[in-house]
Amino acid sequence: MSDSQENLWYKDAIFYEVPVRSFYDSNGDGIGDFPGLTQKLDYIKSLGIDCIWLLPFYDSPLKDDGYDIRDYYSILPEYGTLKDFDNFMIEAHRLGIRVIADLVLNHVSDQIKWFQEARKDRTNSKRDWFVWSDTPDKYEGVRIIFIDTERSNWTLDPQTGQYYWHRFFSHQPDLNYDNPEVRDEMKKVIRFWLDRGLDGFRCDAVPYLFEREGTSCENLPETHEYFREIRKMIDEEYPGRILLAEANQWPEDAKKYFGNEDEFQMNFNFPLMPRIFIALAKEDAFPVENIISKTLPVPEKCSWGLFLRNHDELTLEMVSDEERDIMYSEYAKVPKMRLNLGIRRRLAPLVDNDRYALEFLNALIMSLPGSPILYYGDEINMGDNIYLGDRNGVRTPMQWSYDRNAGFSRSDPEQLYAPVIINSNYHYEVNNVESMSRLPSSFLNWLRKLIITRKRSAQVFGRGTIEFIHSDQKEILAFIRAYENQVILCVYNLSRKPSYVTMDLRKYSGWHVREMISLTRFPDIGELPYFFTLQRNSFFWMSLEKPDAT
């Protein structure tokens, strides 16, 4: 593989999102740590994962699960030391697993020494590292993101009598990116961690770095310019490392973060994610087909990150009011399941632990254009706890076995950072890695098989074109993925009932058809319409092979 092809590794990769705190506790204090995560790398490798995405592990007061950073250059003591981090990186790379980490650029903890200096007095040298105003009237009309907890994007600092700007929690002041010292400092942070071996960053809250009066203070040209600076620096000094954008925006704005292949290599496909669930609820392929047409094409060396769930709420900011109502009525019938404009639930509870739906959803994100990103524990259908505060209900300890504390920790149960799941439908004694690994028919082993299947055709799924095949059955989603000499037909039944479809595949007349997971041979394609029957919420991946192919 050429150097240029090697640097496109992310287009073919499968990612796995891991909070260090939640994965495995090595020292019995009830909190996951880097030595524990290192011990479990063999498991991550066994899933077929190519790259780990680490949630924030920096020193923090943990008022926002680590997204409130107190020191960018150190690790939260409960998670270990810099040496523990270095050992983790060495072992991950030895196993052929890359690692990217969260980089929180937009805001910091109000406990960081920069802000503590800035609020001493108005003439302090760090004052201009933050955004201040004598009144809370600047930037009127800018949306409030955490509508359940914040009433304004401004908070009064009683020490200096001025208001400071924050797009998220009031304990997270935004940095002032109009200050070149701030821009340079964050480049130093990036270099510090790339020098320690990281393969890139998932950049948090990227649309909000700059503020301008009379705008939404989102997606401003200055923000794009700064990320071009960062990308140029990384390409020159750390070739092969990547940037993944968290930009929860409408398609036309989200796509701009790819730039001309000079900003982010990857971007979460936020527009697609809720519409997958809407399509499932409506039993209608249109929401997926429509949004894919709006999110493609992307530059050749760029890729969408495809996900179903993550550590945050299932966000419904960028959908219509009608679509949001559908999502609430189908997936969050109890108000406690909702947060801000979203749903705080894990994947399995969202679909009532329906095995058909879970297989369907995972297969779909494995086959659409982009790179799949799995959330820890979803491979064993972990449940959630909606009675824990904020988004903590989807951040409970990983369930390793039916032993005490789900095998996560040797501590007393009361000592755990969060309780394990004991709901009878998702109890850790049943939903755990050890039990599911022993059972050939378990969801975990099914997902491993699906990932193996995808890896055999990683480039066609990660880099190939997509062509939708329309039919009279609105519940059928069908498309052709093609790359170089490989052609794959994917057919999905969104209905809760069995269905059928006939498709015009005459341009592949004479081609052989092989189901990709079982390698079962199907009838060859002829001049007549090709006919499929599908059970509820089921799918086929079909390899189409030319007649002269071996």
Side-chain angles (χ1 to χ4, degrees):
M1 185 181 291
S2 68
D3 287 344
S4 61
Q5 287 296 306
E6 174 67 18
N7 288 344
L8 297 177
W9 60 267
Y10 51 90
K11 292 180 71 72
D12 309 322
I14 296 175
F15 291 74
Y16 188 73
E17 180 185 359
V18 178
V20 177
R21 181 179 68 165
S22 305
F23 212 58
Y24 186 65
D25 168 22
S26 71
N27 61 5
D29 66 354
I31 302 169
D33 46 46
F34 272 110
L37 180 55
T38 305
Q39 291 178 38
K40 295 298 185 181
L41 280 171
D42 284 334
Y43 166 73
I44 294 175
K45 181 69 174 178
S46 78
L47 287 176
I49 299 303
D50 302 293
C51 184
I52 293 170
W53 156 27
L54 294 176
L55 269 62
F57 50 79
Y58 318 98
D59 184 46
S60 165
L62 295 182
K63 291 184 178 180
D64 185 21
D65 209 25
Y67 284 91
D68 49 331
I69 295 175
R70 184 164 49 199
D71 182 359
Y72 281 91
Y73 298 98
S74 66
I75 287 173
L76 189 72
E78 294 95 313
Y79 296 169
T81 64
L82 281 171
K83 184 178 179 181
D84 292 330
F85 173 84
D86 293 339
N87 290 338
F88 161 75
M89 290 299 306
I90 290 169
E91 185 64 14
H93 285 161
R94 186 186 70 80
L95 291 171
I97 302 172
R98 288 181 166 91
V99 182
I100 65 172
D102 258 311
L103 179 67
V104 186
L105 291 165
N106 179 72
H107 51 270
V108 294
S109 166
D110 60 5
Q111 296 184 26
I112 197 170
K113 61 182 180 181
W114 308 335
F115 191 68
Q116 293 298 311
E117 285 288 317
R119 71 195 316 182
K120 284 181 178 178
D121 61 69
R122 297 192 186 189
T123 61
N124 190 278
S125 60
K126 287 291 190 289
R127 187 72 175 178
D128 195 41
W129 281 44
F130 300 91
V131 182
W132 300 91
S133 173
D134 290 325
T135 73
D137 301 327
K138 287 183 70 175
Y139 314 135
E140 281 191 309
V142 174
R143 69 187 175 107
I144 297 170
I145 295 170
F146 288 164
I147 60 173
D148 283 2
T149 55
E150 303 299 326
R151 295 293 170 261
S152 171
N153 289 317
W154 292 102
T155 291
L156 179 65
D157 175 35
Q159 290 181 235
T160 56
Q162 280 190 311
Y163 294 84
Y164 62 87
W165 178 253
H166 55 88
R167 288 307 303 273
F168 295 94
F169 290 118
S170 58
H171 58 74
Q172 292 171 323
D174 278 25
L175 290 165
N176 175 22
Y177 277 88
D178 282 318
N179 185 336
E181 292 180 2
V182 171
R183 299 198 297 272
D184 289 343
E185 182 67 29
M186 299 317 292
K187 289 179 182 178
K188 290 178 185 176
V189 170
I190 290 170
R191 288 188 178 102
F192 178 84
W193 291 105
L194 292 182
D195 284 341
R196 302 195 89 92
L198 276 182
D199 297 286
F201 294 98
R202 176 265 194 189
C203 297
D204 182 68
V206 302
Y208 315 116
L209 298 194
F210 288 82
E211 299 80 30
R212 292 293 181 267
E213 198 65 71
T215 74
S216 67
C217 294
E218 299 180 19
N219 310 311
L220 297 180
E222 295 86 346
T223 297
H224 287 280
E225 177 58 34
Y226 182 59
F227 282 115
R228 284 193 289 271
E229 288 181 27
I230 291 176
R231 173 67 184 276
K232 185 174 186 292
M233 178 191 81
I234 291 176
D235 283 351
E236 291 175 355
E237 300 178 25
Y238 307 93
R241 317 292 178 93
I242 69 162
L243 293 172
L244 166 59
E246 186 211 25
N248 181 18
Q249 301 289 314
W250 293 100
E252 58 271 19
D253 290 321
K255 287 173 68 174
K256 291 177 182 175
Y257 285 94
F258 294 122
N260 294 314
E261 297 186 345
D262 58 356
E263 291 187 44
F264 290 85
Q265 289 98 333
M266 293 187 68
N267 192 351
F268 289 110
N269 201 328
F270 277 100
L272 170 66
M273 181 271 297
R275 288 167 180 86
I276 290 176
F277 291 99
I278 291 167
L280 193 64
K282 295 176 69 174
E283 302 184 4
D284 188 346
F286 176 77
V288 172
E289 290 186 20
N290 183 53
I291 204 67
I292 289 289
S293 69
K294 292 179 179 179
T295 55
L296 294 178
V298 299
E300 182 182 358
K301 295 180 180 179
C302 297
S303 180
W304 287 113
L306 308 179
F307 67 105
L308 295 167
R309 289 300 299 113
N310 60 26
H311 62 288
D312 284 334
E313 67 269 38
L314 194 165
T315 178
L316 300 174
E317 292 172 299
M318 301 299 161
V319 299
S320 68
D321 290 342
E322 178 190 359
E323 289 171 326
R324 191 176 300 116
D325 289 343
I326 291 171
M327 290 293 290
Y328 282 151
S329 64
E330 181 71 22
Y331 301 110
K333 297 178 176 66
V334 178
K336 195 80 173 173
M337 298 174 180
R338 305 172 190 177
L339 181 70
N340 300 314
L341 286 179
I343 300 172
R344 51 173 174 183
R345 306 227 67 188
R346 266 192 178 269
L347 180 60
L350 273 174
V351 295
D352 296 327
N353 212 16
D354 184 332
R355 175 73 179 261
Y356 286 96
L358 289 165
E359 291 186 5
F360 177 98
L361 290 167
N362 278 277
L364 187 55
I365 66 161
M366 293 277 180
S367 61
L368 288 171
S371 302
I373 303 172
L374 307 178
Y375 186 48
Y376 89 100
D378 280 352
E379 73 273 18
I380 55 171
N381 301 339
M382 271 179 63
D384 53 36
N385 184 348
I386 61 174
Y387 298 99
L388 297 179
D390 195 25
R391 281 77 55 92
N392 295 329
V394 303
R395 303 170 180 177
T396 57
M398 179 66 176
Q399 296 166 189
W400 293 105
S401 72
Y402 46 80
D403 203 353
R404 182 180 67 185
N405 301 328
F408 165 77
S409 173
R410 299 186 305 276
S411 72
D412 292 335
E414 298 87 350
Q415 202 176 347
L416 295 180
Y417 76 89
V420 294
I421 300 298
I422 57 173
N423 180 294
S424 58
N425 293 313
Y426 305 95
H427 201 290
Y428 71 83
E429 290 184 348
V430 176
N431 286 27
N432 64 71
V433 171
E434 182 178 335
S435 297
M436 285 195 170
S437 293
R438 291 177 178 178
L439 191 63
S441 62
S442 71
F443 183 81
L444 173 61
N445 283 323
W446 175 88
L447 186 62
R448 283 173 167 151
K449 188 182 299 184
L450 185 75
I451 289 173
I452 290 171
T453 303
R454 188 188 190 276
K455 281 182 171 293
R456 290 199 294 258
S457 304
Q459 290 197 345
V460 69
F461 285 127
R463 310 184 188 202
T465 58
I466 185 169
E467 175 191 355
F468 289 102
I469 300 174
H470 301 286
S471 70
D472 294 335
Q473 308 293 100
K474 72 180 183 65
E475 72 274 15
I476 298 296
L477 174 66
F479 49 84
I480 295 281
R481 301 300 314 278
Y483 183 75
E484 295 181 345
N485 296 322
Q486 193 168 8
V487 179
I488 294 174
L489 169 65
C490 300
V491 186
Y492 292 87
N493 177 20
L494 287 148
S495 176
R496 297 174 181 85
K497 300 175 182 177
S499 190
Y500 68 92
V501 63
T502 55
M503 289 182 287
D504 183 357
L505 300 176
R506 280 177 294 177
K507 72 177 182 178
Y508 300 104
S509 181
W511 287 41
H512 307 314
V513 180
R514 191 178 302 276
E515 198 276 326
M516 292 177 61
I517 299 176
S518 66
L519 302 181
T520 301
R521 179 82 175 267
F522 273 53
D524 292 351
I525 298 170
E527 293 297 319
L528 296 175
Y530 205 85
F531 183 79
F532 283 104
T533 57
L534 299 100
Q535 59 183 328
R536 71 176 183 94
N537 295 145
S538 63
F539 71 97
F540 283 117
W541 287 357
M542 297 294 195
S543 175
L544 306 187
E545 304 161 0
K546 287 184 179 180
D548 59 347
T550 56

